[in-house]
Amino acid sequence: MQINSLTHSLLVVLLFLTSLTTFAHTITGYVTDENGRPIKDLYILQKGTENHTHTNSQGFFSIENVDVNQILLLAHVGYESKEVVIKDLDLVLQIVMESTSVDLDAIVISNDVDIFNSLALLDLQVNPVNSSQEILQTVPGLFIGQHAGGGKAEQLFLRGFDIDHGTDVAIGVDGMPVNMVSHAHGQGYADLHFVIPETINSVDYGKGSYDASKGNFATAGHVNLNTKEFLQRNIVQTEIGDFNYQRLLAMFNVVDNANTSAYVASEYITFDGPFDSPQNFDRFNIFSKLNHRTETGNELSLTASHFTSEWDASGQIPQRAVDNGSIGRFGAIDDTEGGSTSRTNLNITYNFNLSDREQLKAQAYYTHYDFELFSNFTFFLEDPINGDQIKQQESRDIIGINAIYNKEYLIGNQKLNWYSGISLRNDRTDGSSLARTLNRRTTLEQIQLGDINETNSSLWTGLEFTIGNLNIDAGLRLEHFKFVYRDGLDDNFDTLSQNATALLPKLNFAYQVNSNWQFYLKNGIGLHSNDTRVVLQDEADEILPKSYGSDLGTVFKPSDRLVINTALWYLYLEQEFVYVGDAGIIEPSGKTERYGFDLGLNYQLTDYLFLDSNLNYAHARAIEEPSGEDYIPLAPESDQYRWFKS
């Protein structure tokens, strides 16, 4: 009897599994635009269910548990939504999406699609583009400030950080890092002026250090600008304004077909400004990109660019000098400030489709960079005869590689995505210097001078899976740094070196209430990286001080044309050493904490009129200081902005 009972149970299980095999059909497809180019991150929903998926970078998708006569809904920003009725279960769908004006109705809240990057894409398409660095402001709560003649990288502020020029936000272009480690002007210096704004196609960003694929500088967040694969049309454009402002832009397709595209873009800007001493600002950019997609869906992308800029600056001026009539409002104490910089980039990526559920992306890049900056912040305070002008200078070569592997597993009706990656970056800086100078021409004293060799190698891995409506993403990142510095002011030209390793876990949850409502909890440990010259000082006990952060938030779409998002966040840093490039000294800030909230609203009033509103609050304090003396200098507390765009 026991044997018969066991046999009966096995037959029941076998029949159940057979029924699953019989009725659980998988539909595959390929989605393109009108020109035959694949569309990635397009949302596909099986109507009447919560079953959904999205296209990969090559436009392919597969969706399980679909039967004959069921309907698939396809949606993406900038394309008309489409419904596809399944007629043949064995047919590979080939779907063409038609372009249309952007619409909030196409924004989908899903564990498979990053809602914030979708909103950034919409913002980029409807908001006028003035400069590449202003595009950073598509990140809610991130603000910039320009100074010193327009040639320097902008000042950045985000989540209670005065990030200076990039210390605690990781910035990239097509996956190539922009931040400069151990820079002559300051750690993480990120100059985006080598990017022509009209070449930007989309913006990927995230706040906090919750993404295992992001490492150095991603404390407050990360931003990556993706350039266009092709041009919709050729452009020749000129702009003329006051104070000898001129901008010339030319963008041409060289090759344009379904599999291969190539274009060249160039930009020239000159501007004197309203100052008594003209800025003589002069910038030239040239950028080219080749994109080729094979018949099997593999994709090759090659970009090359060169940028050069030089300028004069009137600098900051004291109010008292204007009040007593010594200089006018647009005058200068030292009008020999200014500088020059250049950057040359080569970037190659190749996306392999190893199978329907397996992809590998490999990347290699090279950058040569030169920088020279003359500043005078205290005029004649320290040297009443020659003045207090300083020069910061460096010449740098960067070489790096990245590789990212993704494999999707199907366990029953549940998907499990395993991802892993490696990266290696080496910066070699010759003659990184800080000197006291006179009128740009005479060097009075060398304060710092040396060669820097800094290597950062990383390994990360993680699993992303769904249990019911709950998506879980657990990742782990290993960082290793090697710092080498050769002091040019030391009589023996001694070389100092140090190594450091950090293990950074991440754990994120997203709960899908329905297709219009999601809660999320993000947690992660990052690091506040330091300048090589900071690391090699005796007082830098914490070489790679960690940051600990959490975000608790929700995204809600109560109607087709309204999206509301809000988050409470907390961030703790073990140490905030800063190398002050303007003085060649180190400033430790001790343990710090920041917390606050973000509130965003996106509303589409008409087909061509949008309202965006964001409110961000941050409370930043040094933990080990007494109350009233624990304020962090220049840390922004709150900001609010709202604009209409059409």
Side-chain angles (χ1 to χ4, degrees), residues 401-414:
I401 58 172
N402 297 311
I404 303 173
Y405 173 79
N406 285 276
K407 185 168 184 179
E408 186 181 83
Y409 297 89
L410 189 61
I411 303 174
N413 294 330
Q414 302 297 328

Side-chain angles (χ1 to χ4, degrees), residues 602-617:
N602 300 81
Y603 181 61
Q604 185 173 356
L605 287 83
T606 70
D607 289 346
Y608 302 100
L609 187 62
F610 295 78
L611 168 66
D612 285 355
S613 182
N614 289 279
L615 175 64
N616 308 93
Y617 171 78

Side-chain angles (χ1 to χ4, degrees), residues 62-100:
S62 65
I63 184 167
E64 292 78 20
N65 303 321
V66 179
D67 213 336
V68 175
N69 295 324
Q70 291 187 325
I71 299 174
L72 299 182
L73 173 65
L74 291 79
H76 191 281
V77 174
Y79 296 93
E80 289 186 8
S81 299
K82 176 172 287 191
E83 292 186 354
V84 177
V85 181
I86 304 302
K87 295 297 185 182
D88 186 345
L89 297 174
D90 297 321
L91 181 67
V92 176
L93 299 176
Q94 296 185 16
I95 303 169
V96 178
M97 302 290 288
E98 296 181 4
S99 300
T100 186

